[in-house]
Amino acid sequence: MIFSREVKSNLSKLFAWLLVISILTGLLMSIYILMLDANMKSIFDSFLSSLSDNVKNVLGFKEGIDYTDISDYLGFIFQYIFVFIAMFAMQLGANSLAREQSQGSIGYIYSNPISRSEIVTQKFLANMLTYFIMLFSLALVTFGIVYVIHMEVEVSMQMAIFAIAKIFGGMFIGGLVFMSVGLFFSSMSKSTNFTEGTSILFVLLTLLITIFGKIYGATFKAVVEKFTLEIFNPVFFVKEEFNIAGMGINLVILIIFVLLSYIIYNSKELDY
Protein backbone atom coordinates (compact mmCIF):
# COMPACT_ATOMS: atom_id res chain seq x y z
CA MET A 1 0.00 0.00 0.00
CA ILE A 2 2.67 2.52 1.05
CA PHE A 3 4.87 1.58 -1.91
CA SER A 4 2.16 2.08 -4.55
CA ARG A 5 0.90 5.30 -2.93
CA GLU A 6 4.39 6.75 -2.96
CA VAL A 7 5.02 5.84 -6.60
CA LYS A 8 1.69 7.32 -7.70
CA SER A 9 2.27 10.53 -5.75
CA ASN A 10 5.61 11.03 -7.53
CA LEU A 11 4.36 10.47 -11.09
CA SER A 12 3.52 14.11 -11.84
CA LYS A 13 6.92 15.24 -10.54
CA LEU A 14 8.62 12.51 -12.56
CA PHE A 15 7.01 13.55 -15.85
CA ALA A 16 7.60 17.27 -15.23
CA TRP A 17 11.31 16.82 -14.49
CA LEU A 18 11.72 14.30 -17.34
CA LEU A 19 10.21 16.77 -19.80
CA VAL A 20 12.42 19.67 -18.68
CA ILE A 21 15.64 17.63 -18.55
CA SER A 22 14.88 15.94 -21.90
CA ILE A 23 14.49 19.34 -23.56
CA LEU A 24 17.73 20.53 -21.98
CA THR A 25 19.50 17.36 -23.15
CA GLY A 26 18.19 17.87 -26.69
CA LEU A 27 19.39 21.48 -26.77
CA LEU A 28 22.88 20.58 -25.52
CA MET A 29 23.15 17.62 -27.89
CA SER A 30 22.22 19.83 -30.86
CA ILE A 31 25.49 21.71 -30.30
CA TYR A 32 27.45 18.50 -30.96
CA ILE A 33 26.80 18.72 -34.70
CA LEU A 34 28.21 22.26 -34.69
CA MET A 35 31.34 20.96 -32.96
CA LEU A 36 32.01 18.72 -35.96
CA ASP A 37 32.31 21.75 -38.22
CA ALA A 38 36.00 22.71 -38.57
CA ASN A 39 35.34 26.46 -38.35
CA MET A 40 33.16 26.16 -35.25
CA LYS A 41 35.68 23.81 -33.62
CA SER A 42 38.44 26.34 -34.31
CA ILE A 43 36.41 29.13 -32.68
CA PHE A 44 35.64 26.91 -29.68
CA ASP A 45 39.30 25.91 -29.29
CA SER A 46 40.32 29.58 -29.40
CA PHE A 47 37.76 30.33 -26.69
CA LEU A 48 39.13 27.54 -24.49
CA SER A 49 42.72 28.66 -24.96
CA SER A 50 41.77 32.14 -23.73
CA LEU A 51 40.56 30.75 -20.38
CA SER A 52 42.79 30.20 -17.37
CA ASP A 53 43.20 26.70 -15.94
CA ASN A 54 41.11 27.62 -12.88
CA VAL A 55 38.23 28.92 -15.00
CA LYS A 56 38.35 25.81 -17.21
CA ASN A 57 38.23 23.59 -14.14
CA VAL A 58 35.32 25.49 -12.62
CA LEU A 59 33.31 25.45 -15.87
CA GLY A 60 33.92 21.74 -16.43
CA PHE A 61 36.29 22.05 -19.40
CA LYS A 62 38.53 19.26 -18.18
CA GLU A 63 41.81 18.26 -19.79
CA GLY A 64 41.65 15.40 -22.28
CA ILE A 65 38.05 15.91 -23.41
CA ASP A 66 37.56 15.50 -27.16
CA TYR A 67 34.41 17.48 -27.89
CA THR A 68 34.09 15.85 -31.32
CA ASP A 69 33.95 12.38 -29.74
CA ILE A 70 30.36 11.43 -28.92
CA SER A 71 31.32 9.60 -25.70
CA ASP A 72 33.36 12.51 -24.34
CA TYR A 73 30.70 15.01 -25.38
CA LEU A 74 27.96 13.04 -23.61
CA GLY A 75 30.04 13.01 -20.43
CA PHE A 76 30.72 16.73 -20.82
CA ILE A 77 27.06 17.82 -21.08
CA PHE A 78 25.77 15.40 -18.46
CA GLN A 79 28.06 16.84 -15.79
CA TYR A 80 25.72 19.87 -15.96
CA ILE A 81 22.52 17.86 -16.29
CA PHE A 82 23.56 15.80 -13.26
CA VAL A 83 23.00 18.87 -11.09
CA PHE A 84 19.30 18.92 -12.04
CA ILE A 85 19.01 15.16 -11.63
CA ALA A 86 20.49 15.48 -8.12
CA MET A 87 17.81 18.08 -7.31
CA PHE A 88 15.08 15.68 -8.47
CA ALA A 89 16.54 12.80 -6.44
CA MET A 90 16.80 14.90 -3.29
CA GLN A 91 13.25 16.21 -3.69
CA LEU A 92 11.98 12.62 -3.83
CA GLY A 93 13.61 11.87 -0.50
CA ALA A 94 12.73 15.19 1.12
CA ASN A 95 9.02 14.86 0.34
CA SER A 96 8.59 11.22 1.30
CA LEU A 97 8.26 10.92 5.09
CA ALA A 98 6.77 14.37 5.72
CA ARG A 99 4.08 14.14 3.03
CA GLU A 100 1.46 12.20 5.01
CA GLN A 101 1.73 14.48 8.04
CA SER A 102 1.54 17.54 5.82
CA GLN A 103 -1.52 16.20 3.98
CA GLY A 104 -3.16 14.80 7.12
CA SER A 105 -3.25 11.21 5.83
CA ILE A 106 -0.88 9.76 8.44
CA GLY A 107 -3.86 8.53 10.50
CA TYR A 108 -5.08 6.43 7.57
CA ILE A 109 -1.65 4.81 7.20
CA TYR A 110 -1.46 3.95 10.89
CA SER A 111 -4.94 2.41 10.79
CA ASN A 112 -3.19 -0.43 8.93
CA PRO A 113 -0.87 -2.95 10.61
CA ILE A 114 2.45 -1.43 9.58
CA SER A 115 5.54 -0.36 11.50
CA ARG A 116 7.40 2.92 11.09
CA SER A 117 10.48 1.10 9.83
CA GLU A 118 8.37 -0.53 7.13
CA ILE A 119 7.02 2.88 6.12
CA VAL A 120 10.57 4.21 5.69
CA THR A 121 11.63 1.10 3.77
CA GLN A 122 8.69 1.11 1.37
CA LYS A 123 8.94 4.83 0.72
CA PHE A 124 12.68 4.66 0.08
CA LEU A 125 12.26 1.72 -2.30
CA ALA A 126 9.40 3.50 -4.08
CA ASN A 127 11.56 6.59 -4.50
CA MET A 128 14.41 4.44 -5.83
CA LEU A 129 12.06 2.94 -8.40
CA THR A 130 10.79 6.39 -9.42
CA TYR A 131 14.35 7.62 -9.74
CA PHE A 132 15.33 4.56 -11.79
CA ILE A 133 12.35 5.09 -14.14
CA MET A 134 13.39 8.73 -14.54
CA LEU A 135 16.98 7.85 -15.45
CA PHE A 136 16.01 4.93 -17.67
CA SER A 137 13.53 7.11 -19.58
CA LEU A 138 16.13 9.87 -19.95
CA ALA A 139 18.68 7.31 -21.14
CA LEU A 140 16.23 6.21 -23.84
CA VAL A 141 15.66 9.83 -24.84
CA THR A 142 19.43 10.38 -25.00
CA PHE A 143 19.87 7.25 -27.12
CA GLY A 144 17.12 8.48 -29.45
CA ILE A 145 18.82 11.85 -29.86
CA VAL A 146 22.18 10.18 -30.56
CA TYR A 147 20.52 7.91 -33.12
CA VAL A 148 19.04 10.92 -34.92
CA ILE A 149 22.49 12.51 -34.96
CA HIS A 150 23.87 9.19 -36.24
CA MET A 151 21.58 9.51 -39.25
CA GLU A 152 23.15 12.87 -40.10
CA VAL A 153 26.84 12.38 -39.25
CA GLU A 154 29.14 9.46 -38.54
CA VAL A 155 28.78 8.43 -34.90
CA SER A 156 29.83 5.18 -33.21
CA MET A 157 26.56 3.93 -31.72
CA GLN A 158 28.37 1.19 -29.79
CA MET A 159 30.62 3.72 -28.07
CA ALA A 160 27.62 5.96 -27.41
CA ILE A 161 25.69 3.11 -25.77
CA PHE A 162 28.64 2.25 -23.53
CA ALA A 163 29.02 5.91 -22.58
CA ILE A 164 25.30 6.26 -21.76
CA ALA A 165 25.43 3.11 -19.60
CA LYS A 166 28.44 4.37 -17.64
CA ILE A 167 27.05 7.90 -17.26
CA PHE A 168 23.63 6.82 -16.02
CA GLY A 169 25.07 4.12 -13.76
CA GLY A 170 27.19 6.75 -12.02
CA MET A 171 24.33 9.25 -11.80
CA PHE A 172 22.04 6.60 -10.31
CA ILE A 173 24.41 5.92 -7.41
CA GLY A 174 25.22 9.62 -6.97
CA GLY A 175 21.54 10.53 -6.94
CA LEU A 176 20.87 7.98 -4.20
CA VAL A 177 23.29 9.86 -1.97
CA PHE A 178 21.28 13.06 -2.41
CA MET A 179 18.06 11.08 -1.95
CA SER A 180 19.31 9.76 1.39
CA VAL A 181 20.08 13.31 2.54
CA GLY A 182 16.57 14.34 1.51
CA LEU A 183 15.12 11.36 3.38
CA PHE A 184 17.03 12.47 6.48
CA PHE A 185 15.57 15.99 6.24
CA SER A 186 12.09 14.53 5.70
CA SER A 187 12.38 12.33 8.81
CA MET A 188 12.77 15.48 10.92
CA SER A 189 10.12 17.57 9.16
CA LYS A 190 6.36 17.70 9.64
CA SER A 191 5.63 19.66 6.48
CA THR A 192 6.55 19.59 2.80
CA ASN A 193 6.09 23.35 2.36
CA PHE A 194 9.78 24.07 1.99
CA THR A 195 11.23 20.68 1.05
CA GLU A 196 11.44 21.28 -2.71
CA GLY A 197 13.09 24.67 -2.35
CA THR A 198 15.42 23.37 0.35
CA SER A 199 16.48 20.49 -1.90
CA ILE A 200 17.35 22.83 -4.76
CA LEU A 201 19.24 25.17 -2.42
CA PHE A 202 21.17 22.26 -0.87
CA VAL A 203 22.35 20.98 -4.27
CA LEU A 204 23.24 24.52 -5.40
CA LEU A 205 25.12 25.12 -2.14
CA THR A 206 27.05 21.89 -2.68
CA LEU A 207 27.87 23.04 -6.21
CA LEU A 208 29.01 26.50 -5.03
CA ILE A 209 31.23 25.01 -2.32
CA THR A 210 32.73 22.69 -4.93
CA ILE A 211 33.47 25.62 -7.24
CA PHE A 212 34.99 27.65 -4.41
CA GLY A 213 37.12 24.68 -3.37
CA LYS A 214 38.48 24.31 -6.89
CA ILE A 215 39.40 27.99 -7.00
CA TYR A 216 40.87 28.07 -3.50
CA GLY A 217 42.85 24.88 -4.01
CA ALA A 218 45.07 23.16 -1.42
CA THR A 219 43.30 21.00 1.19
CA PHE A 220 39.90 22.54 0.44
CA LYS A 221 40.16 21.32 -3.15
CA ALA A 222 41.04 17.81 -1.99
CA VAL A 223 37.91 17.81 0.21
CA VAL A 224 35.44 19.02 -2.43
CA GLU A 225 36.82 16.48 -4.89
CA LYS A 226 35.18 13.86 -2.64
CA PHE A 227 31.75 15.55 -2.98
CA THR A 228 29.07 13.54 -4.76
CA LEU A 229 28.83 15.80 -7.82
CA GLU A 230 32.58 15.36 -8.37
CA ILE A 231 32.97 11.66 -7.54
CA PHE A 232 30.12 10.66 -9.84
CA ASN A 233 30.91 13.26 -12.49
CA PRO A 234 29.90 11.75 -15.87
CA VAL A 235 33.18 12.89 -17.47
CA PHE A 236 35.15 10.66 -15.09
CA PHE A 237 32.80 7.72 -15.62
CA VAL A 238 33.05 7.96 -19.41
CA LYS A 239 36.84 7.91 -19.16
CA GLU A 240 36.63 5.23 -16.42
CA GLU A 241 38.65 7.38 -14.04
CA PHE A 242 36.99 6.05 -10.91
CA ASN A 243 37.87 7.42 -7.49
CA ILE A 244 37.32 4.28 -5.42
CA ALA A 245 38.06 6.01 -2.10
CA GLY A 246 35.64 8.83 -2.91
CA MET A 247 32.94 6.37 -3.98
CA GLY A 248 33.41 4.47 -0.72
CA ILE A 249 33.05 7.67 1.30
CA ASN A 250 29.83 8.57 -0.53
CA LEU A 251 28.37 5.10 -0.04
CA VAL A 252 29.11 5.37 3.70
CA ILE A 253 27.36 8.76 3.72
CA LEU A 254 24.36 7.20 1.97
CA ILE A 255 24.13 4.40 4.55
CA ILE A 256 24.57 6.79 7.49
CA PHE A 257 21.78 9.14 6.36
CA VAL A 258 19.40 6.26 5.67
CA LEU A 259 20.08 4.75 9.11
CA LEU A 260 19.64 8.15 10.77
CA SER A 261 16.31 8.50 8.95
CA TYR A 262 15.13 5.19 10.41
CA ILE A 263 16.25 6.17 13.92
CA ILE A 264 14.73 9.66 13.86
CA TYR A 265 11.44 8.60 12.25
CA ASN A 266 10.99 5.74 14.72
CA SER A 267 11.42 8.13 17.65
CA LYS A 268 9.46 10.99 16.08
CA GLU A 269 6.24 12.23 17.66
CA LEU A 270 3.62 12.11 14.91
CA ASP A 271 0.51 14.30 14.91
CA TYR A 272 -2.52 12.47 13.54
Side-chain angles (χ1 to χ4, degrees), residues 21 24-25 28-29 44 48 54-67 70-87 138 142 163-164 166-168 170-171 178 203-204 206-207 210-211 214 227-239 241:
I21 296 177
L24 178 60
T25 303
L28 292 175
M29 284 300 298
F44 182 74
L48 284 184
N54 270 343
V55 173
K56 286 180 185 178
N57 198 20
V58 167
L59 295 179
F61 296 111
K62 295 176 173 57
E63 293 292 332
I65 297 178
D66 181 0
Y67 299 97
I70 189 64
S71 298
D72 282 9
Y73 188 79
L74 282 168
F76 171 68
I77 66 169
F78 270 99
Q79 67 180 329
Y80 306 117
I81 296 172
F82 184 30
V83 174
F84 296 97
I85 290 174
M87 292 177 183
L138 184 58
T142 304
I164 290 171
K166 287 183 283 189
I167 288 168
F168 281 84
M171 290 196 300
F178 283 101
V203 175
L204 289 178
T206 302
L207 180 62
T210 302
I211 291 173
K214 289 180 178 180
F227 281 16
T228 307
L229 291 176
E230 281 294 296
I231 291 298
F232 298 99
N233 189 313
V235 172
F236 298 143
F237 269 69
V238 166
K239 293 187 171 296
E241 297 175 359

Side-chain angles (χ1 to χ4, degrees), residues 142-252:
T142 304
F143 174 80
I145 295 171
V146 172
Y147 187 79
V148 171
I149 293 174
H150 169 68
M151 296 170 64
E152 299 293 329
V153 297
E154 186 177 348
V155 171
S156 173
M157 290 302 298
Q158 184 178 9
M159 294 300 294
I161 292 172
F162 285 147
I164 290 171
K166 287 183 283 189
I167 288 168
F168 281 84
M171 290 196 300
F172 179 74
I173 301 172
L176 290 182
V177 178
F178 283 101
M179 187 185 295
S180 69
V181 176
L183 187 73
F184 171 72
F185 288 160
S186 186
S187 68
M188 297 185 293
S189 177
K190 293 184 178 182
S191 172
T192 59
N193 292 338
F194 306 106
T195 52
E196 296 196 359
T198 302
S199 299
I200 292 173
L201 288 174
F202 182 87
V203 175
L204 289 178
L205 181 62
T206 302
L207 180 62
L208 290 173
I209 294 173
T210 302
I211 291 173
F212 181 77
K214 289 180 178 180
I215 296 172
Y216 187 80
T219 305
F220 198 3
K221 181 180 179 182
V223 171
V224 300
E225 284 179 346
K226 299 296 186 292
F227 281 16
T228 307
L229 291 176
E230 281 294 296
I231 291 298
F232 298 99
N233 189 313
V235 172
F236 298 143
F237 269 69
V238 166
K239 293 187 171 296
E240 298 183 0
E241 297 175 359
F242 306 121
N243 187 326
I244 303 301
M247 292 173 68
I249 291 171
N250 276 268
L251 289 177
V252 169

